[in-house]
Amino acid sequence: IKRTDKFISAFDPTYCASLYLMDQIGVAVYDGISKEEVDAYIKTPSVKYLVLNDSAKFNKLYPNNFQDKVVLHHRGLIVYKLKD
């Protein structure tokens, strides 16, 4: 993971604190965001990773097939690699 790689971080109760603490750039997803917006972020060519602090909630709100894309588990966080 490079410093310049872009992330989607869900669900951050503060705006982008998780990205700040990871020292990464990207976008924070919160509870009220639409599925279409999340899909648009995931399809953005420059976004390479998705980090979740609640994968069950994310999968319920935004069904996906990212199980085979896990690159890291750490203390309740899961990092998925969306693109190479």
Side-chain angles (χ1 to χ4, degrees):
I1 297 175
K2 299 176 186 170
R3 167 67 184 92
T4 55
D5 290 340
K6 291 187 180 177
F7 275 71
I8 299 170
S9 176
F11 295 94
D12 190 346
T14 62
Y15 188 74
C16 293
S18 59
L19 294 168
Y20 174 78
L21 293 170
M22 291 186 298
D23 195 25
Q24 292 296 144
I25 53 177
V27 63
V29 172
Y30 50 90
D31 289 337
I33 197 166
S34 72
K35 182 177 181 345
E36 292 77 21
E37 286 181 273
V38 172
D39 287 341
Y41 290 140
I42 290 170
K43 291 175 184 173
T44 302
S46 60
V47 174
K48 290 188 177 182
Y49 295 95
L50 169 66
V51 62
L52 302 177
N53 63 15
D54 189 342
S55 61
K57 180 178 180 179
F58 188 85
N59 292 334
K60 183 178 177 183
L61 295 173
Y62 313 106
N64 63 75
N65 58 351
F66 298 144
Q67 295 83 359
D68 61 335
K69 298 181 180 191
V70 174
V71 293
L72 177 71
H73 284 96
H74 180 71
R75 295 187 179 187
L77 293 178
I78 302 173
V79 178
Y80 300 89
K81 187 169 185 177
L82 302 175
K83 298 172 193 77
D84 292 323

